Amino acid sequence: EFLTELQAGRLDSVRIVGDKLEAVEKTSTTPAAKAPGEQRGIVAMRMEDPDLIQRLKTAGIKFGQVPDGSAFRDVMSWILPMLLMLGFWWFVMGRMGRTQGQVLSLGKSKAKVYAEKDVPIRFADVAGVDEAKDELREMVEFLRNPAAAGRLGGRLPKGLLLVGPPGTGKTLLARAVAGEAQVPFFSINGSEFVEMFVGLGAARVRDLFEQARAHAPCIIFVDELDALGRARASSIMANDEKEQTLNQFLAELDGFDPSKGVVLLAATNRPEVLDPALLRSGRFDRQILIDKPDRAGRVEVLKVHLRTVRVAPDCDPGAIAALTPGFSGADLANLVNEAARMATRRGASAVETADFHEAIERMMGGLERRNRIMRPEERRRVAFHEMGHATAALALDPSEAVQKVSIIPRSAGALGFTMRRPLEDRYLLARGELEAKLAVLLGGRASEMIFLHESSTGAADDLDKATDIARAMVTRFGMSELAGQITYDREQAPYLGTRVLPGSHDYSDETARVIDQEILKLVDHAYDKAARTLARHRTFLEEGVRQLLQNETLAEETLKDLWARHSEVESQAKGA
Ligand code: ADP
Ligand code: ZN
């Protein structure tokens, strides 16, 4: 119809709207006009017709193209997804920017950086960790005046690792260093480094060090270093991201020059899981042990926290300390808080001893559940066990001094410890010395048997170590008569192509039996020796246990004095 009308010359004008043609007929030629002036219109679908324009021209009618909705839709159909994608991109980038921004903002936002006057903590606020404070004082000196510290040469400490159970004041101590030195304190948690997005963790490490360098002298404190520095091979699934972050951290550590005045402190309660690369010389090669406070330490911590509380005059920190074995510094801070709250609720004018008793009772349940409080009979057993080690060591193995005996549990595994320190470098050990070491290891078990007449699981670790030594004596050092001077436990010798499969050995079953018997004999022998020794020094051991139960730790000096007095009495008895 459209073409017919067009050819007939009856059309006035044509509008091309999208794929439609809207034609208006000339008024005069409209036969079907019902009324004069009325225009009839034709709407036609536009066909694929390359000659259309030419035809319209020839016909000499007005025509034009009008944009329509469908064209708009067409355009939108590809613009809209693009906008959506862009928006999503913005959103993601915005989020990433914000998370990253937290690290970046370390230097910018006042909330995160403790600028000079912002660290109000001093060494006086950290109680009961005097050895750690002594070590850190050098660092404070250095931060106060970085230029002077290197004057006489010598390597400056680069990284210092604070090791100890949670709540013992590691963070507090690091902040105190910043406070004493009046320098900014940058802190970050090891787990914050580990990010979901690949590369972000490493970027954070870089940012942190950059920020710190810009603010030198200052302190960087990495809490929970183990989250970042877990030994790389230990996880079955290689975690590339973690590894990248750790590598970046190591690279920053190596690249940074402490003489610029940036000091790195880190804290962990699990030093054993740290990647050995972190502990290598020139990195965190200095460690400071921070243990839970002993009784005297708890008195000090309590005094610190009681400063801000109004206490009744009858309230004695010593008495509270005696009731709270196993409490960490944080637990004690909590205890003071709790007692103060109870007194407030009571409407009292000061916190009284009864409030502390009630608060202790309340807290005990929770701490016991978390395995941090030992029952009295357990403490007694641990005291006898550790004094067994100490007594055997003092009597049988003078090559190492007994540095400290403690019955403060360090972790779930170690309920107490006897720390020893070699008095000289040793390169060779004679058989007698190895036997003495075995006897010291078995001293714990022997003491439990002699004084408590029953064994316990507490000796498992000792037995492990003793077995290792005894096995080495038999299979590697040729120290057994029956097994002879033969190596049974050869280091694998790949050059001969004789790789021994794990679990297999190149000797007969009869020989294996002999080896086992010889190992057993060595250990039994050492146990007898330990038992005889302990029985002989019974009075010393019992006095040690008494003091240990009272004070929870025994220092080297105390033990030495006690031992000297005991030896005197003994020699007098002999003379008489
Ligand atoms: P960590 O970092 O070792 O887990 P924190 O330093 O965070 O422990 O200690 C938490 C809180 O416990 C401190 O803010 C402080 O109130 C209290 N606290 C812990 N140890 C001590 C201490 N030795 N002296 C005084 N307060 C302590
Ligand atoms: Zn032991």
Side-chain angles (χ1 to χ4, degrees):
E1 186 189 0
F2 173 80
L3 285 176
T4 321
E5 296 292 302
L6 179 67
Q7 243 136 37
R10 281 197 289 269
L11 293 182
D12 179 47
S13 65
V14 173
R15 292 203 311 166
I16 305 172
V17 183
D19 52 359
K20 284 197 206 89
L21 297 168
E22 290 176 13
V24 179
E25 292 190 7
K26 290 179 181 157
T27 334
S28 53
T29 57
T30 307
K34 292 177 186 83
E38 190 199 16
Q39 288 186 319
R40 199 172 85 100
I42 300 172
V43 175
M45 291 301 291
R46 185 178 171 181
M47 304 284 190
E48 193 55 52
D49 180 5
D51 297 335
L52 177 70
I53 304 298
Q54 195 53 46
R55 272 190 239 215
L56 290 171
K57 259 189 178 161
T58 329
I61 56 176
K62 296 175 273 173
F63 66 92
Q65 192 159 19
V66 187
D68 77 333
S70 77
F72 182 66
R73 250 195 336 267
D74 281 353
V75 174
M76 282 316 278
S77 70
W78 58 268
I79 281 191
L80 210 70
M82 245 169 74
L83 281 177
L84 270 171
M85 263 164 68
L86 253 157
F88 181 68
W89 182 247
W90 265 75
F91 174 70
V92 170
M93 289 309 281
R95 279 183 63 107
M96 277 162 70
R98 237 173 304 138
T99 43
Q100 203 169 9
Q102 282 172 359
V103 175
L104 284 172
S105 69
L106 272 173
K108 289 166 197 147
S109 88
K110 277 271 167 274
K112 271 266 175 170
V113 137
Y114 299 88
E116 301 211 333
K117 287 151 225 124
D118 280 356
V119 187
I121 310 290
R122 295 291 180 273
F123 277 151
D125 298 309
V126 196
V129 285
D130 295 333
E131 292 143 51
K133 275 195 243 176
D134 285 342
E135 292 234 20
L136 288 169
R137 237 168 233 130
E138 180 193 359
M139 193 161 266
V140 172
E141 278 314 309
F142 162 63
L143 282 167
R144 278 201 189 134
N145 193 352
R151 197 168 46 90
L152 300 179
R155 198 162 60 83
L156 295 161
K158 191 184 266 188
L160 220 150
L161 189 59
L162 305 171
V163 179
T168 46
K170 299 184 292 296
T171 312
L172 196 67
L173 202 56
R175 289 184 63 209
V177 174
E180 290 278 344
Q182 298 275 298
V183 297
F185 179 73
F186 289 81
S187 111
I188 190 156
N189 194 297
S191 57
E192 276 178 52
F193 276 134
V194 185
E195 266 290 334
M196 241 169 52
F197 294 104
V198 175
L200 258 191
R204 288 185 158 199
V205 173
R206 226 172 10 246
D207 287 339
L208 178 69
F209 278 83
E210 238 161 56
Q211 289 283 333
R213 269 191 285 267
H215 287 82
C218 69
I219 288 180
I220 301 180
F221 176 65
V222 185
D223 205 358
E224 291 177 41
L225 185 67
D226 44 294
L228 168 67
R230 199 143 304 167
R232 278 171 284 191
S234 69
S235 62
I236 300 163
M237 275 204 309
N239 185 338
D240 278 350
E241 172 55 17
K242 222 177 206 174
E243 191 151 323
Q244 242 181 43
T245 310
L246 179 59
N247 284 339
Q248 181 69 39
F249 190 72
L250 293 174
E252 293 286 352
L253 268 179
D254 290 340
F256 110 6
D257 175 9
S259 69
K260 293 281 182 311
V262 181
V263 160
L264 199 62
L265 291 176
T268 181
N269 56 345
R270 311 172 58 198
E272 69 282 353
V273 304
L274 287 184
D275 196 300
L278 270 172
L279 306 175
R280 208 167 289 152
S281 144
R283 289 168 182 167
F284 286 103
D285 49 0
R286 265 172 73 186
Q287 299 193 9
I288 297 184
L289 276 181
I290 299 188
D291 268 320
K292 279 197 207 155
D294 60 6
R295 187 163 164 176
R298 287 200 299 275
V299 175
E300 297 304 313
V301 176
L302 279 170
K303 278 185 185 155
V304 166
H305 289 283
L306 287 175
R307 283 192 310 215
T308 51
V309 176
R310 176 138 21 100
V311 278
D314 74 314
C315 208
D316 171 26
I320 303 170
L323 288 173
T324 48
F327 275 51
S328 69
D331 295 333
L332 290 170
N334 213 347
L335 171 70
V336 173
N337 244 332
E338 192 73 7
R341 258 189 37 215
M342 268 181 243
T344 312
R345 218 176 309 142
R346 211 156 48 79
S349 61
V351 189
E352 282 168 19
T353 310
D355 297 313
F356 282 103
H357 286 181
E358 202 181 331
I360 290 171
E361 258 163 47
R362 283 195 181 191
M363 287 181 67
M364 276 295 195
L367 294 176
E368 246 164 29
R369 237 175 290 122
R370 275 180 281 148
N371 237 339
R372 288 174 40 193
I373 303 287
M374 273 194 288
R375 298 206 318 244
E377 55 287 12
E378 286 172 327
R379 286 182 79 222
R380 217 168 98 79
R381 185 176 277 280
V382 174
F384 272 109
H385 180 104
E386 297 305 333
M387 273 315 291
H389 286 309
T391 308
L394 284 165
L396 299 173
D397 190 1
S399 73
E400 290 185 28
V402 180
Q403 207 175 0
K404 190 175 178 183
V405 182
S406 160
I407 56 164
I408 302 172
R410 185 169 272 177
S411 58
L415 298 176
F417 58 87
T418 302
M419 202 155 57
R420 296 167 70 210
R421 154 174 82 80
L423 292 171
E424 58 202 351
D425 282 343
R426 293 305 304 271
Y427 303 100
L428 277 177
L429 289 172
R431 177 176 172 154
E433 291 171 307
L434 281 172
E435 282 173 348
K437 288 197 186 312
L438 279 181
V440 173
L441 280 169
L442 292 161
R445 161 61 57 90
S447 180
E448 289 184 56
M449 290 304 284
I450 293 174
F451 295 96
L452 305 171
H453 316 293
E454 193 182 11
S455 57
S456 78
T457 55
D461 229 34
D462 300 333
L463 299 186
D464 228 26
K465 284 190 197 128
T467 310
D468 280 350
I469 293 181
R471 182 177 296 280
M473 286 170 76
V474 174
T475 62
R476 294 182 48 209
F477 307 145
M479 288 177 178
S480 136
E481 289 73 28
L482 284 183
Q485 333 270 351
I486 287 180
T487 299
Y488 293 97
D489 175 25
R490 201 164 344 158
E491 295 283 310
Q492 292 173 356
Y495 52 90
L496 287 179
T498 55
R499 271 186 74 112
V500 182
L501 289 173
S504 79
H505 36 65
D506 47 6
Y507 42 81
S508 68
D509 286 351
E510 286 86 83
T511 310
R513 203 163 298 127
V514 171
I515 290 174
D516 287 343
Q517 277 165 1
E518 287 293 277
I519 294 174
L520 198 60
K521 205 155 87 188
L522 279 173
V523 175
D524 278 350
H525 185 74
Y527 177 84
D528 287 342
K529 190 165 166 179
R532 262 181 283 121
T533 308
L534 300 190
R536 196 172 138 212
H537 299 290
R538 184 175 198 121
T539 48
F540 167 78
L541 195 151
E542 282 172 332
E543 175 58 18
V545 166
R546 204 187 58 74
Q547 293 200 12
L548 206 50
L549 286 173
Q550 163 94 15
N551 302 318
E552 292 158 35
T553 57
L554 285 181
E556 185 171 351
E557 293 307 313
T558 321
L559 272 167
K560 253 194 209 154
D561 286 352
L562 207 61
W563 183 249
R565 246 183 297 141
H566 164 74
S567 308
E568 214 171 282
V569 172
E570 209 182 41
S571 61
Q572 272 171 11
K574 241 186 220 153

